[in-house]
């Protein structure tokens, strides 16, 4: 419904907010009740026999049914809360614009038209009218979207009141949803995708309600279904965490953030438009340090490119906020969907040989999963944005994950190693099925990862000591993506104008990742250019010095010189107590940006 301004003035949206709270409270009460019932039966350890078995089966059925009802109640609560917040914001905006216009002598009509008796104020009247009608457009959009979603949810709730109804498959046969999901789990991803494509949206939704924990992470399931399932899974994880005797407050905060709306990276800049959207997760698990794949933006015809961003060491679910922001900025700047890929545990230490960044085990474990996920991305691209190029960006340890996945057959149109730990942990070269793949790399001068990249593949033999080689170095490609033939090296350049380091060269230890926090930096712009297929800046070798470090021409890519530069910095810190020996860098050679390169 598109209200008139007088109608909007009478709207009381508190009732919508109260409805959301009531639905959420009832969902929690239902969950607690069925859990208590299940625990009570489990506690009856001395009870045995047919009656106990029958009671157990019946209670298990009701627990399952209770969780299905709870999932729908939470969906209603979430949608009601979103529409309440959105409509309240839009209502406030429209009425403030109307009051401001009236206070300045403009006449505002019921439909948002604005006029003024003085002709010279027609331009200002047009601005007010545009703002008011944009706000009313947003209200109509929200009302239509959430009205449909709430009607669907209420319909689902009615349908499962007495138990989950059977669903109708493509051949007309009727089956229990849980049995259908059990069957789906036995199929290959391709078979699964073909099977689900033959089902109606209503049946797909019933399957999600029946088994969200299975469908949320199952390859072959359309991303829209996985997103819906994982919203339920995240809410369930939040409830379980809060119910613990000592909840992990960092995890609680992270899960709550994952369920909170965010600005839409695809929204046009307009004060009238809320541009708030739910976050979308095509994979979620609390296993290990917490795992997820977040999709920012949407897969649709006309997007310039699709990006998959694999972050590096110390990444985990609880502290993934900065990775989310970087992925959001990529989606905002490229205009296409970006996937933040965290389908596995990352090393949490920079130095531990057994379970830190030097260990290849994390990359070896994640690489096959990335290959499989790449097939799912290609499937979605084929369905929703045919022909759109897909780019994989690996930062730091994530570069080793991406390189290892390419060794195992990851298909990509473009690859970017950003401050990458290496080319891959397996033997042999890259094995991309796309013969026209474009590969790019960039590493900031003075970044300590350069020492790792240049470390001898075969290790070092010293008197009485044998040091192993770089575990992220392919025996064919070596450990430095910047030096691999065919890889185009890009310029990390300078920080952007809006940064606190505006105009400063990207350099040193901070040069390893700080550019990810600065969308205006040369390096971030290069990532955007590769994904969007526009243009990038070619590598320029610079001489850079500080009061304690002097990186000269020829140092980059020379392991001995890079290690010497790093040693001088470490000595300044340890012996002279210099907090940051890389601070206040001065470019002594080649300050110009690299030449522009068109991305094919």
């Amino acid at each position: 419904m598109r209200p008139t301004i007088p109608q909007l003035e009478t709207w009381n949206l508190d009732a919508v907010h109260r409805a959301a709270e009531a639905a959420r409270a009832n969902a929690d009460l239902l969950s607690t009740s069925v859990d208590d019932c299940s625990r009570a039966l489990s506690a009856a350890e001395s009870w045995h026999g047919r009656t106990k078995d029958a009671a157990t089966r019946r209670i298990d059925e009701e627990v399952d049914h209770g969780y299905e009802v709870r999932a729908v109640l939470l969906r209603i609560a979430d949608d009601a809360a979103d529409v309440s917040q959105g409509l309240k914001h839009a209502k406030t905006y429209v009425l403030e614009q109307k009051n401001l216009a009236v206070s300045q002598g403009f006449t505002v009509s019921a439909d948002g038209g604005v006029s003024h008796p003085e002709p010279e104020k027609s331009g200002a009247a047009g601005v007010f009218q545009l703002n008011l009608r944009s706000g009313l457009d947003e209200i109509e959009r929200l009302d239509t979207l959430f009205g449909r979603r709430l009607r669907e949810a209420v319909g689902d709730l009615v349908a499962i009141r007495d138990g989950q109804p059977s669903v109708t498959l493509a051949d007309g046969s009727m089956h229990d949803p849980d049995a259908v999901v059990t069957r789906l789990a036995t199929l290959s991803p391709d078979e699964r995708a073909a099977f689900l494509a033959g089902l109606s949206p209503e049946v797909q939704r019933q399957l999600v309600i029946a088994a969200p924990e299975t469908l949320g992470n199952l390859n072959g399931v359309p991303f829209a279904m996985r997103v819906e399932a994982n919203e339920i899974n995240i809410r369930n994880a939040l409830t379980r965490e809060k119910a613990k005797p000592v909840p992990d407050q960092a995890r609680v905060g992270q899960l709550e953030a994952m369920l909170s709306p965010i600005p839409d990276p695809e929204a046009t800049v307009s004060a009238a438009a809320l541009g708030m959207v739910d976050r979308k997760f095509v994979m979620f698990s609390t296993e290990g340090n917490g795992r997820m794949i977040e999709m920012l933006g949407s897969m649709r015809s006309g997007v310039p490119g699709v990006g998959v961003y694999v972050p590096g060491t110390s990444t985990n679910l609880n502290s993934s906020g900065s990775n989310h922001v970087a992925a959001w900025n990529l989606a905002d700047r490229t205009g296409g969907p970006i996937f933040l890929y965290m389908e596995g545990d990352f090393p949490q230490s920079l130095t531990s040989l057994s379970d830190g960044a030097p260990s290849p085990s994390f990359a070896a474990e994640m690489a096959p999963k990335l290959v499989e996920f790449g097939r799912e991305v290609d499937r979605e691209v084929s369905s929703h944005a045919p022909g759109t190029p897909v780019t994989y960006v690996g930062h730091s340890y994530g570069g080793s994950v991406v390189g290892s996945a390419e060794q195992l057959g990851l298909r990509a149109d473009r690859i970017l190693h950003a401050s990458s730990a290496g080319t891959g942990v397996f033997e042999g070269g890259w094995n991309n099925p796309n013969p026209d793949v474009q590969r790019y790399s960039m590493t900031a001068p003075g970044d300590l990862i350069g020492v790792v990249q240049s470390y001898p593949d075969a290790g070092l033999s010293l008197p009485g000591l044998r040091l192993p080689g770089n575990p992220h170095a392919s025996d064919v490609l070596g450990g430095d993506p910047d030096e691999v033939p065919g890889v185009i090296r890009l310029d990390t350049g300078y920080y952007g104008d809006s940064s606190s380091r505006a105009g400063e060269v990207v350099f040193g230890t901070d040069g390893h990742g700080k550019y990810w926090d600065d969308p205006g930096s040369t390096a971030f712009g290069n990532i955007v250019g590769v994904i969007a297929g526009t243009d990038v800046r070619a590598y320029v070798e610079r001489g850079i010095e500080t009061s304690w470090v002097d990186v000269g021409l020829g140092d980059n890519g020379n392991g001995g010189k890079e290690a010497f530069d790093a040693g001088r910095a470490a000595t300044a810190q340890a012996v002279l107590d210099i907090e940051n020996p890389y601070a206040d860098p001065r470019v002594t050679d080649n300050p110009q940006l690299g030449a522009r390169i068109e991305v094919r």
Side-chain angles (χ1 to χ4, degrees), residues 288-299:
N289 291 320
R291 303 172 183 186
M292 70 176 188
I293 304 174
E294 182 173 9
M295 179 180 180
L296 295 112
S298 60
M299 194 80 72

Side-chain angles (χ1 to χ4, degrees), residues 555-595:
D555 287 11
N556 287 309
N558 183 313
K561 291 183 177 180
E562 288 174 326
F564 177 77
D565 294 334
R568 288 186 63 184
T571 300
Q573 285 180 306
V575 178
L576 302 177
D577 198 27
I578 303 300
E579 183 177 353
N580 182 9
Y582 296 96
D584 301 318
R586 300 174 297 280
V587 178
T588 58
D589 301 278
N590 301 326
Q592 74 279 3
L593 283 173

Side-chain angles (χ1 to χ4, degrees), residues 68 163-184 195 199 202-203 206-207 210:
E68 291 167 352
Q164 183 80 329
S166 295
V167 294
T168 304
L169 302 186
D171 61 5
S173 60
M174 304 283 289
H175 296 272
D176 176 77
D178 290 303
V180 174
V181 173
T182 299
R183 175 184 171 188
L184 279 171
F195 181 91
L199 304 182
E202 291 75 17
V203 171
Q206 292 301 322
L207 296 180

Side-chain angles (χ1 to χ4, degrees), residues 216 222-232 279-282 295:
F223 282 178
M225 288 182 69
R226 291 174 69 162
V227 167
E228 189 174 353
N230 282 320
E231 182 173 330
I232 297 171
R279 294 175 68 175
K280 296 174 290 189
F281 298 90
V282 298
M295 179 180 180

Side-chain angles (χ1 to χ4, degrees), residues 175-517:
H175 296 272
D176 176 77
D178 290 303
V180 174
V181 173
T182 299
R183 175 184 171 188
L184 279 171
T186 67
L187 303 178
S188 71
D190 289 342
E191 293 170 334
R192 209 172 284 139
F195 181 91
L196 289 169
L199 304 182
S200 69
E202 291 75 17
V203 171
Q204 291 181 356
R205 198 165 60 249
Q206 292 301 322
L207 296 180
V208 168
I209 293 170
E213 59 287 328
T214 299
L215 295 180
N217 299 334
L218 205 56
N219 286 333
V221 175
F223 282 178
M225 288 182 69
R226 291 174 69 162
V227 167
E228 189 174 353
N230 282 320
E231 182 173 330
I232 297 171
N233 294 334
I234 294 167
R235 289 198 178 280
N236 289 340
L238 178 60
T239 298
R240 287 192 297 269
E241 189 62 47
K242 286 183 173 180
K244 291 179 179 179
V246 183
D248 180 344
Q249 292 303 324
R251 177 58 55 85
V252 168
Q254 172 62 18
L255 295 174
E256 289 177 338
M258 293 167 72
L259 294 168
S260 299
I262 59 172
D264 186 355
E266 298 176 323
T268 55
V269 178
S270 169
L274 266 180
M276 299 296 286
V277 293
D278 287 337
R279 294 175 68 175
K280 296 174 290 189
F281 298 90
V282 298
M283 184 270 166
F284 169 75
S285 172
T286 57
E287 182 182 357
N289 291 320
R291 303 172 183 186
M292 70 176 188
I293 304 174
E294 182 173 9
M295 179 180 180
L296 295 112
S298 60
M299 194 80 72
R300 66 192 191 285
S301 178
V303 297
V306 176
V308 180
Y309 159 41
V310 186
T313 299
S314 78
T315 295
N316 60 64
L317 188 66
N318 288 5
S319 62
S320 60
S322 61
N323 302 124
H324 161 79
V325 171
W328 189 96
N329 283 323
L330 284 176
D332 177 53
R333 299 264 172 150
T334 63
I338 300 294
F339 294 90
L340 171 55
Y341 184 85
M342 295 168 49
E343 193 179 10
D345 283 342
F346 289 80
Q348 300 299 298
S349 164
L350 286 172
T351 57
S352 173
L353 295 178
S354 60
D355 60 358
S359 171
S361 63
F362 303 94
E365 189 267 340
M366 262 189 285
K369 296 179 182 179
L370 183 57
V371 175
E372 292 300 317
F373 180 69
R375 296 192 178 105
E376 297 307 302
V377 172
D378 285 347
R379 193 193 311 278
E380 290 284 319
V381 169
S382 177
S383 296
H384 301 289
T388 304
V390 180
T391 299
Y392 291 80
V393 182
H395 173 237
S396 191
Y397 197 95
S400 180
V401 175
V402 170
S404 302
E406 258 210 293
Q407 289 177 303
L408 298 180
L410 174 68
R411 195 215 69 83
D413 297 289
R414 301 172 191 138
I415 297 285
L416 173 56
H417 285 266
S419 312
S420 176
T423 58
V425 301
F426 301 112
E427 294 182 359
W430 290 317
N431 186 31
N432 195 314
N434 178 9
D436 298 320
V437 60
Q438 304 167 59
R439 297 189 179 94
Y440 301 86
S441 70
M442 59 182 183
T443 306
D447 181 357
L448 296 185
I449 202 74
V451 180
V452 176
Q453 293 171 343
S454 301
Y455 192 78
D457 305 343
L460 290 174
S461 294
L462 302 174
L465 180 64
R466 176 74 177 87
L467 298 177
N470 178 2
H472 303 286
S474 158
D475 58 345
V476 171
L477 303 169
D480 190 348
D482 299 330
E483 303 293 333
V484 177
V487 175
I488 301 171
R489 186 169 182 181
L490 304 180
D491 191 4
T492 49
Y494 298 86
Y495 293 105
D497 292 340
S498 61
S499 168
S500 61
R501 300 182 174 188
E504 182 179 304
V505 68
V506 177
F507 174 66
T509 51
D510 285 351
H512 182 65
K514 290 296 183 182
Y515 60 84
W516 281 95
D517 304 328

